[in-house]
Amino acid sequence: MFAEEWPLLTFTLLSQFGVGAYIFFVIVRAFNKKLGNNLAINVTKRGIMMVGPVIALALVFSLFHLGTPFGAYRSILNLDSSWLSREIIFTSAFFALWIVSFYLDRKGTWNQIVGWVTSVVGLGAVFCMASIYASSIKPAWTDANTYLAFYGTTILFGAVTSMIFILMSKEEKTEGLTSIIKGIGLAGLGAMIAQLVYLPIYVSGLSVSGQAGLKSAALLTETYAFSTVIRWALSFVGLAIIGWVFYRNNKSQSQMKFYLAALTLVLVGEFLGRYIFYATGVSIIVG
């Protein structure tokens, strides 16, 4: 993989981490009245705060793949024709709206509408990220798998992060909150299953996409076959650990190490998956 792709890899993962976490926190807060006692607000307060620094760091990494970082402002001048410009605008807008929502949250005047608008903008940012690759000259990227992978990572990161923050909170885990946690876990699991179900279709499509597609298919099924298995195993085990701690209902401080282990496994798994995504992108222009 070329050195200049590392900042892009980090940018996409961090952005999807922040967007996914924020969306799930907003979804949880949508049940605040039903749960009562501001329970949904209290269990997600630290999580909302965490999103901003993550997105800020992602934006910093986004500068490093530009030829001249200090000329980054020029990259937004082609909004009508460039997915890169749209990506920067949407990601920056998401960060700006996070600042607004975080300010309201700190004042104790959380606005759910602002939360939903910010979430939609975040989803738009992920769509723009995926569209940059989907409009490339690399068959491995122009497939619907790119959108499935980017949104799948967003959902998985959001599910895992939100469950960890909720379970780590000192608030009582009521029956209503427990049901929400279960639903979040199923959403994360569904995001992974959807990608795995589509994987054979994706590889089959690459096999009939010319020499570049054949090369990408060979990389996936041969060179990176074991890495792909490890990637999915790490993500599944990470999610399973959270589920195990949740159903075990262990309230001791020792559960922290399990949450950290789970988050680490998912992060490494998704990092490996994104590495494979970049490594298997073979251009139709050869030589």
Side-chain angles (χ1 to χ4, degrees):
M1 205 169 74
F2 297 110
E4 60 266 24
E5 290 175 336
W6 287 106
L8 287 173
L9 184 155
T10 307
F11 164 69
T12 59
L13 285 179
L14 285 176
S15 297
Q16 288 156 32
F17 184 97
V19 169
Y22 184 90
I23 290 173
F24 274 89
F25 290 137
V26 170
I27 291 173
V28 172
R29 290 189 171 202
F31 294 93
N32 192 50
K33 289 185 178 180
K34 184 177 180 179
L35 293 176
N37 299 319
N38 267 349
L39 181 58
I41 299 292
N42 295 335
V43 297
T44 57
K45 191 169 288 290
R46 289 185 178 180
I48 290 288
M49 180 174 63
M50 172 274 302
V51 170
V54 171
I55 295 297
L57 185 59
L59 288 170
V60 170
F61 272 102
S62 72
L63 298 176
F64 288 100
H65 79 274
L66 299 174
T68 53
F70 290 105
Y73 67 92
R74 291 194 293 269
S75 64
I76 65 174
L77 300 180
N78 299 313
L79 188 60
D80 60 332
S81 59
S82 170
W83 283 111
L84 175 61
S85 296
R86 296 164 189 163
E87 172 195 63
I88 294 173
I89 291 294
F90 270 86
T91 306
S92 299
F94 176 79
F95 181 64
L97 286 168
W98 169 82
I99 293 176
V100 174
S101 63
F102 177 65
Y103 173 75
L104 293 174
D105 191 46
R106 291 282 290 181
K107 287 186 63 179
T109 56
W110 169 260
N111 189 300
Q112 190 66 19
I113 295 178
V114 173
W116 287 126
V117 171
T118 307
S119 298
V120 171
V121 172
L123 290 173
V126 176
F127 183 84
C128 292
M129 289 177 207
S131 295
I132 292 174
Y133 300 97
S135 58
S136 70
I137 56 174
K138 300 182 178 183
W141 294 355
T142 57
D143 189 88
N145 181 71
T146 297
Y147 293 96
L148 191 60
F150 277 42
Y151 278 114
T153 294
T154 301
I155 294 172
L156 179 59
F157 275 157
V160 168
T161 305
S162 59
M163 282 193 295
I164 288 176
F165 271 95
I166 293 172
L167 291 171
M168 284 176 56
S169 70
K170 296 180 180 180
E171 301 292 327
E172 180 186 357
K173 307 305 182 292
T174 63
E175 183 178 345
L177 187 59
T178 297
S179 296
I180 291 174
I181 295 172
K182 291 178 180 179
I184 292 173
L186 289 175
L189 182 61
M192 289 189 285
I193 292 175
Q195 293 178 74
L196 283 172
V197 169
Y198 187 72
L199 185 58
I201 301 173
Y202 171 55
V203 175
S204 178
L206 287 176
S207 300
V208 294
S209 300
Q211 290 300 314
L214 282 171
K215 177 63 175 177
S216 293
L219 287 171
L220 277 169
T221 57
E222 298 172 13
T223 307
Y224 295 105
F226 181 71
S227 298
T228 299
V229 172
I230 295 297
R231 169 258 195 279
W232 286 111
L234 290 173
S235 295
F236 270 109
V237 171
L239 185 61
I241 288 175
I242 298 175
W244 175 74
V245 176
F246 171 64
Y247 282 105
R248 186 185 177 196
N249 197 27
N250 182 2
K251 299 182 183 298
S252 67
Q253 293 297 318
S254 64
Q255 65 185 2
M256 175 66 74
K257 63 183 180 184
F258 291 113
Y259 292 142
L260 289 176
L263 182 59
T264 299
L265 288 173
V266 172
L267 286 172
V268 174
E270 293 306 300
F271 178 89
L272 183 55
R274 192 56 49 86
Y275 175 86
I276 295 171
F277 172 82
Y278 281 99
T280 55
V282 179
S283 172
I284 59 174
I285 300 176
V286 181

